Amino acid sequence: MSLLFACITGLFWVIGSAVGQSSYDCSEMADNFIPCVTYLVELESRPADRCCSGLQVLNQMAKINDKGPRNICQCIEDLAYTMNAPYVASRIQSLSRECHIHFSFPISIAMDCYR
């Protein structure tokens, strides 16, 4: 499990560096969201504490400016695409309930980051 996390983190750091040259940098967002991926792809039965605490951080980041929610959404979408990670819709829907959090950014199977 820790090897998977290390590989995912390393891969996203490389991708984040390339993407970071655009209008946002995904590395910090990825650090906070990656612990949720194992839950979203059904490798874990519950989200890890690090997942829920990372979502709290992302919520705070989303409130910093009006582009925050869109940037976080785009990073999550980029992460899913890069990892070819098929997030399970029911897991996405239950994530806010499981972590006792209301998202300040969009997250879904077919994310529309620009709505």
Side-chain angles (χ1 to χ4, degrees):
M1 174 78 113
S2 61
L3 180 59
L4 172 67
F5 181 74
C7 290
I8 291 170
T9 302
L11 174 67
F12 203 67
W13 273 101
V14 170
I15 303 285
S17 297
V19 173
Q21 296 172 9
S22 66
S23 62
Y24 59 93
D25 178 11
C26 289
S27 60
E28 185 177 357
M29 294 174 208
D31 287 344
N32 287 295
F33 189 75
I34 283 176
C36 299
V37 172
T38 55
Y39 173 74
L40 294 174
V41 299
E42 295 188 312
L43 292 176
E44 300 281 341
S45 61
R46 305 185 25 145
D49 290 342
R50 287 188 60 218
C51 167
C52 296
S53 62
L55 292 174
Q56 294 277 353
V57 171
L58 291 177
N59 262 351
Q60 292 304 314
M61 291 171 70
K63 296 174 184 175
I64 291 174
N65 65 49
D66 61 337
K67 293 182 182 175
R70 183 182 313 150
N71 291 348
I72 292 169
C73 175
Q74 189 63 56
C75 288
I76 292 170
E77 188 174 277
D78 292 349
L79 178 62
Y81 177 79
T82 301
M83 294 173 50
N84 194 24
Y87 298 158
V88 176
S90 62
R91 290 294 180 99
I92 292 171
Q93 293 169 354
S94 67
L95 193 56
S96 94
R97 182 182 71 246
E98 291 284 335
C99 289
H100 309 288
I101 189 171
H102 174 75
F103 293 121
S104 299
F105 52 91
I107 177 173
S108 68
I109 288 288
M111 289 191 266
D112 181 4
C113 298
Y114 297 94
R115 59 182 159 136

